[in-house]
Amino acid sequence: MREHRPVIALDFPSFEAVKEFLSLFPAEESLYLKVGMELYYAEGPEVVRYLKSLGHSVFLDLKLHDIPNTVKSAMKVLSQLGVDMTNVHAAGGVEMMKAAREGLGKEAKLIAVTQLTSTSESQMQDFQNIQTSLQESVIHYAKKTAEAGLDGVVCSAQEVQLIKQATNPDFICLTPGIRPAGAAVGDQKRVMTPADAYQIGSDYIVVGRPITQAEDPVAAYHAIKDEWNQDRNERNRL
Ligand code: C5P
């Protein structure tokens, strides 16, 4: 289930900025691109149709969380855009996740956010009034996500092994917070290199600024991709 292309977070404010960034890559290179709230709310579904028309894969990261019927209808619309993967908040509940699956259909992958990585354990305990450890809450949400028939979760690379043990080895773990050795960490708190993410069993890595803000984004992308596929590259050489 492992995706060999790192997913590039297109955290840009406009269509123009996206086009400029993509023009750096050869036209025949098929990329896996993450469209988040900023870009989607600025440019709407047109940006997704555009990326798909260029032959790219799209992860639409809108983190839906509403009543089941509303989420189901929204997912129906997203499925018509041809997205390859999208997501919901597991906190919306099993009924909501099942409704999301029904609306989206089986063509696209559907994953859930458990606890946001910006949430600390004390915040979770005080504000959400959940009296367990953060890790237990993440595992609980991951199990419920699997139960609802979703394909996986967004999680920190540190949680991958526990989540796979608690669900099944095919349950997708998509991990942001990836930094090649020596790269600026920015506002990410717990980071992991692409090679380490590979070792611990991440299925997808999401990388934003180390590629989008690099002096040479194409070179940065390929360096990260090579590191992410290191073992496979070595096997292929044997
Ligand atoms: O630039 P950077 O590599 O930190 O970007 C990571 C991307 O992954 C951003 O789009 C960010 O919103 C997203 N993300 C994250 N942590 C999560 C969920 C999503 O960094 N837990």
Side-chain angles (χ1 to χ4, degrees), residues 120-172:
S120 69
E121 186 163 282
S122 61
Q123 250 176 356
M124 180 194 82
Q125 292 171 347
D126 294 345
F127 182 72
Q128 299 179 31
N129 200 14
I130 294 175
Q131 303 308 322
T132 63
S133 70
L134 188 66
Q135 200 169 68
E136 279 172 282
S137 171
V138 167
I139 299 297
H140 171 75
Y141 276 141
K143 282 185 183 163
K144 293 290 179 192
T145 303
E147 217 179 279
L150 271 57
D151 301 296
V153 288
V154 182
C155 63
S156 93
Q158 282 82 0
E159 293 156 354
V160 170
Q161 279 162 334
L162 282 174
I163 288 172
K164 293 214 180 235
Q165 274 165 22
T167 56
N168 66 77
D170 293 334
F171 195 64
I172 292 173

Side-chain angles (χ1 to χ4, degrees), residues 7 31 64 66 69 85 90 108 125 160 179 204 238:
V7 179
L31 302 168
L64 301 194
D66 207 321
N69 189 56
M85 176 155 57
Q125 292 171 347
V160 170
R179 292 291 178 270
Y204 291 74
L238 292 176

Side-chain angles (χ1 to χ4, degrees), residues 9-11 34 36 61 63 113 115-118 154-156 174-179 185-188 206-213:
L10 285 185
D11 292 325
K34 179 172 93 72
D61 180 19
K63 304 186 177 74
V113 174
Q115 291 287 352
L116 291 169
T117 45
S118 53
V154 182
C155 63
S156 93
L174 174 142
T175 58
I178 300 296
R179 292 291 178 270
V185 169
D187 55 356
Q188 294 284 8
V206 175
V207 189
R209 287 160 292 180
I211 295 171
T212 56
Q213 307 296 314

Side-chain angles (χ1 to χ4, degrees), residues 12-23 39 43 47 50:
F12 293 110
S14 69
F15 216 141
E16 245 165 75
V18 169
K19 284 182 179 164
E20 199 179 312
F21 172 73
L22 292 176
S23 71
L39 184 58
E43 302 291 359
V47 73
Y50 173 76

Side-chain angles (χ1 to χ4, degrees), residues 21-230:
F21 172 73
L22 292 176
S23 71
L24 301 171
F25 290 83
E28 64 280 7
E29 175 131 33
S30 165
L31 302 168
Y32 208 126
L33 303 167
K34 179 172 93 72
V35 174
M37 291 184 201
E38 182 188 14
L39 184 58
Y40 193 77
Y41 291 147
E43 302 291 359
E46 212 39 57
V47 73
V48 176
R49 290 194 194 101
Y50 173 76
L51 298 174
K52 290 299 299 176
S53 76
L54 296 180
H56 300 309
S57 302
V58 175
F59 166 31
L60 189 55
D61 180 19
L62 296 181
K63 304 186 177 74
L64 301 194
H65 186 173
D66 207 321
I67 59 171
N69 189 56
T70 301
V71 170
K72 183 176 169 181
S73 314
M75 283 294 175
K76 235 182 235 171
V77 175
L78 297 185
S79 77
Q80 285 154 15
L81 288 179
V83 297
D84 298 272
M85 176 155 57
T86 188
N87 59 1
V88 294
H89 268 285
V94 167
E95 286 312 311
M96 186 205 73
M97 289 195 274
K98 283 184 176 166
R101 173 93 277 172
E102 263 181 61
L104 187 66
K106 295 269 182 198
E107 287 290 296
K109 299 216 162 23
L110 180 59
I111 60 176
V113 174
T114 58
Q115 291 287 352
L116 291 169
T117 45
S118 53
T119 304
S120 69
E121 186 163 282
S122 61
Q123 250 176 356
M124 180 194 82
Q125 292 171 347
D126 294 345
F127 182 72
Q128 299 179 31
N129 200 14
I130 294 175
Q131 303 308 322
T132 63
S133 70
L134 188 66
Q135 200 169 68
E136 279 172 282
S137 171
V138 167
I139 299 297
H140 171 75
Y141 276 141
K143 282 185 183 163
K144 293 290 179 192
T145 303
E147 217 179 279
L150 271 57
D151 301 296
V153 288
V154 182
C155 63
S156 93
Q158 282 82 0
E159 293 156 354
V160 170
Q161 279 162 334
L162 282 174
I163 288 172
K164 293 214 180 235
Q165 274 165 22
T167 56
N168 66 77
D170 293 334
F171 195 64
I172 292 173
C173 288
L174 174 142
T175 58
I178 300 296
R179 292 291 178 270
V185 169
D187 55 356
Q188 294 284 8
K189 301 236 158 37
R190 291 179 298 156
V191 298
M192 201 177 262
T193 64
D196 288 345
Y198 178 91
Q199 287 303 330
I200 52 96
S202 291
D203 300 287
Y204 291 74
I205 52 170
V206 175
V207 189
R209 287 160 292 180
I211 295 171
T212 56
Q213 307 296 314
E215 236 168 76
D216 183 344
V218 177
Y221 171 73
H222 283 290
I224 290 169
K225 188 176 174 196
D226 287 350
E227 199 187 322
W228 169 236
N229 291 296
Q230 213 168 42

